Amino acid sequence: MPQLIRKEWPVPWDGRCTRTQHRFEGGGCSPRLTPNPVGILGVEDPCWRSARCLLTGSRCSSDGATHVLPMVLGGKRDPSPRLFSSELMEVQHFRTIYHMFIATLCVFILSTITVDFIDQGRLDLDFDLFFFAFGGLPTALSAWLGMFLYTLLVPYKALQLWAGSYHTVHFPRLFTALLWGVLLACHAVVLGFYPIYTVIQHQLPPASRFIVILEQIRFLMKSHSFLREAVPGIIQAKPSDGAVKPPAFSTYLYFLFCPTLIYRESYPRTPYVRWKYVAQNFAKVLGCLFYSYFILERLCIPVFTNMSKQPFSIKTLVLSIFNATLPGTFLLLLIFFAFLHCWLNAFAEMLRFADRTFYKDWWNSTSFATYYRTWNVVVHDWLYYYVYQDLFWLFKGRSRAAAMLSVFIMSAIVHEYVFTLCFGFFYPVMFTLFAVVGVIFNFLLNDKRKSPVWNIIMWTCLFIGQGIQVCLYCQEWYAQIHCPLQQTFWGLVTPRSWSCRS
């Protein structure tokens, strides 16, 4: 692979550069990085991290124009940029870590086979847990299809109707309020109530519930981005220029499938599809699912199955948390690799989507502020652009801390909502870790921490946090099975593992 030398953003060059630009190899100028006056969430430059420019593969110049991004590989510009996320496995050091994980999976499989032969005298790989978790998959896919068709047709048709009438009706504000009020009501029914009703009414198992609920959230974020980006342009359009038209339907359809949550009418595209690369990534996702099965089967179920039947003690809880740190860390890394690397890269390749920056080097973070920004760049950009920036504008630029805290609270509520519905019980572990512990660590372990020691501290906190999540959720899962449901309000909202000792 050619060595990545430099990534620059060319602008038309007239042989000289202004004071706000700098030269790069081969001639040309690009804007200098300037400090961000907002400076929150680690965004150094409003142009550099602006989702409006970044996710189109372009960058703002000093005059406000945008210019297409080329990657400079081996001293030459690559017309089809492939960014960091898609090239991670081409780094030899990461391939070695990847091979170590495969070796660990082989050990799990050999261990399971050996134990089966010794205890039962035969091989018993029935994958009952795997098939249970994905039970009711046809129902989940039917719910997904309903949400997809609604998100594809209704928001676009509403925007089309509004765009054609906004500049001609006598009371445009009243018309806008009525139309978007109806759309919000439809959103509440189809993308709000319907998925919740489906997973509860059909008693879907956890994996199928995750499919429905995560897709519900994705469609809500996608439709919000589409409307949020399209509406201002229609408002600012001049009727004298002709009929105001919404974005092309094909661009919206492409946006619903491409791995980004920021709508743009065009994205950087690769020249062809590597179908072998697509197949390999989907195969790795399937491998990660079976890997997770073996982790739960060998490291979690034997520990937590009978835990609720034992007398409760702090000693037992603490030992269980530390016993859960290893499977918790494995599951964290598997989720990262399966979804943020393999799944998103597979869809990006199929759709020739060139911006592959789905994550950054979060493993090198020396602060939790950096970790939150680099773990999931796709969601971070949506939160920064549509939540933080809008709230910062709403607060008239006076309270950065309030805008940032709002982002954490919103993220905590959404995470807790997902886990509550998918596991079928209320246990605010995720909310506490995000809204309380996460906020504290974001201020204590901030960007000023640069020493490698802080990277060790960050990883230690991650290990313990994952152990807490796995331990408490597994303990509550089996407590729900062992103890009957108390049909009272406090019985529903109080974790069963606190009192279940059957």
Side-chain angles (χ1 to χ4, degrees), residues 245-263:
K245 296 181 179 179
F249 183 76
S250 59
T251 63
Y252 179 52
L253 176 62
Y254 179 86
F255 169 65
L256 289 182
F257 286 98
C258 70
T260 179
L261 296 174
I262 309 295
Y263 174 76

Side-chain angles (χ1 to χ4, degrees), residues 317-356:
L317 179 62
V318 172
L319 290 176
S320 300
I321 289 175
F322 282 100
N323 286 333
T325 54
L326 179 60
T329 303
F330 268 112
L331 292 174
L332 173 72
L333 297 176
L334 285 173
I335 292 172
F336 157 73
F337 181 73
F339 180 70
L340 291 175
H341 183 82
C342 298
W343 186 265
L344 295 184
N345 271 306
F347 271 87
E349 188 68 29
M350 286 191 298
L351 297 173
R352 295 171 47 216
F353 186 80
D355 185 356
R356 308 291 171 88

